[in-house]
Amino acid sequence: MPCVTGGSIEIVPDPVVMGDAPVEVTFLVAFGLPEARGLLHPPDGPPVELDLAAAQGPCDWRAQHVFEPGAPAGRWRAEVTDGAASVVEEFRVERAGSKPRTRFASFELRPREVSPGERLAVLGTVEVESGDRWVPLAGVIVRIAFRGADECGWHTVTQVLTREDGAFSTLAQALEDGEWRGELDGDDRFIGSRSRPRVARALTGTEIYKYTISPYPDDRLKHSGILRTRNGHTKLDDLAVTVSKGGVSVTDHSTGNPSGRFTVITPRSGGVWRADFFAGHGYGSSHSTRSYP
């Protein structure tokens, strides 16, 4: 049976950890087909019907299922199908206290804003229960997953191995705005975990184009240029450009219809001046330098 392209199922919480009380689990599904049937496949035995309901985007379908305390532990499968195509996601049901828990003691992105296609550093630390303490968990695979701002469900971007101190770090390419998280699958030794999501923005690259300096009345200088996206397709209006040199700093805004042109007036002073646009409004930072005279 073929899988739906771009289909996904997000399970919350994942893993499902059972104690003495029932646990309600939510299934968020990207399926993209008008008809859908949901099934839960336990480790053994017949599947259980999953009551799907149509949802407003970005997810197509949503369901909730209550796991009773006696639900069998092990690896389950959630399946959504129309009979011809399907999307499947595995998850674990664990018994609280049956094995040590794990946690992401930290999970970070550096920087949180990058231009599309640039790489960001993903780093964190994984720990495991040891008696009444948390200790580093070494030598386990952490998946780095991403969910776009308008996407339903997570997809794996890369994976990395934790070091002796439980820490991990890797690089990942940021192509769009969205959330990142670390995922650690459980096994026979411990219960898996997920980090808290961190948001990153994929900024549109900018440039300061045709930066020039010319004399201006009353012993001043006129700094002018165009603020635009790096591909030159879009001029950026009403955004602050700062011109500075040797402790002097003056800011003005690009204006036009739309032209992206900026004009900044400063005291007259020889030497190297610098024009800066600092990242904001979804755009990446840029700068340009010119000497006067």
Side-chain angles (χ1 to χ4, degrees):
M1 181 179 293
C3 290
V4 174
T5 302
S8 67
I9 304 174
E10 182 182 0
I11 299 150
V12 183
D14 183 11
V16 180
V17 181
M18 304 300 306
D20 297 329
V23 177
E24 185 174 73
V25 179
T26 300
F27 298 83
L28 301 170
V29 183
F31 192 56
L33 296 176
E35 300 293 333
R37 180 190 181 201
L39 297 170
L40 286 178
H41 299 269
D44 295 300
V48 178
E49 197 78 20
L50 189 60
D51 189 15
L52 291 174
Q56 293 185 345
C59 298
D60 304 305
W61 303 89
R62 179 188 179 97
Q64 290 182 311
H65 181 81
V66 175
F67 285 77
E68 299 295 338
R75 192 170 293 278
W76 289 59
R77 288 187 300 119
E79 179 186 11
V80 175
T81 179
D82 70 347
S86 66
V87 58
V88 176
E89 185 70 28
E90 291 189 343
F91 64 101
R92 293 186 71 94
V93 173
E94 304 280 15
R95 193 73 53 208
S98 62
K99 60 182 79 169
R101 294 175 297 163
T102 61
R103 71 177 185 183
F104 282 80
S106 64
F107 183 78
E108 301 178 52
L109 305 174
R110 296 179 185 172
R112 299 285 287 273
E113 294 186 338
V114 294
S115 297
E118 290 184 350
R119 295 194 295 178
L120 50 81
V122 185
L123 59 158
T125 306
V126 178
E127 295 178 335
V128 63
E129 271 184 322
S130 178
D132 59 355
R133 299 184 304 125
W134 291 93
V135 299
L137 182 56
V140 294
I141 294 174
V142 173
R143 293 198 309 271
I144 306 302
F146 175 78
R147 176 173 63 186
D150 297 320
E151 288 183 323
C152 178
W154 298 80
H155 59 269
T156 300
V157 175
T158 187
Q159 58 186 30
V160 60
L161 199 66
T162 60
R163 302 190 292 268
E164 287 299 316
D165 59 357
F168 62 88
S169 61
T170 187
L171 296 174
Q173 192 175 37
L175 299 177
E176 58 181 315
D177 292 357
E179 294 180 309
W180 297 77
R181 76 178 183 189
E183 300 178 346
L184 177 64
D185 285 341
D187 58 24
D188 293 337
R189 297 170 296 161
F190 50 75
I191 295 174
S193 56
R194 304 288 185 266
S195 76
R196 299 180 68 174
R198 299 295 182 190
V199 177
R201 299 185 67 191
L203 303 175
T204 300
T206 61
E207 68 175 347
I208 293 176
Y209 180 62
K210 291 186 175 180
Y211 174 37
T212 60
I213 306 174
S214 58
Y216 196 74
D218 300 325
D219 202 30
R220 292 180 293 174
L221 292 176
K222 176 183 176 181
H223 304 256
S224 58
I226 299 172
L227 179 63
R228 68 182 190 179
T229 56
R230 194 165 295 280
N231 58 17
H233 293 166
T234 305
K235 309 298 191 297
L236 305 175
D237 288 325
D238 198 30
L239 296 176
V241 175
T242 298
V243 173
S244 60
K245 183 185 81 71
V248 176
S249 179
V250 181
T251 299
D252 208 337
H253 288 69
S254 55
T255 58
N257 295 308
S259 69
R261 294 185 180 276
F262 65 88
T263 299
V264 181
I265 306 301
T266 69
R268 187 172 300 186
S269 175
V272 178
W273 288 85
R274 173 171 168 140
D276 280 282
F277 171 69
F278 300 103
H281 301 273
Y283 299 107
S285 60
S286 56
H287 75 274
S288 181
T289 57
R290 289 290 182 271
S291 295
Y292 181 85

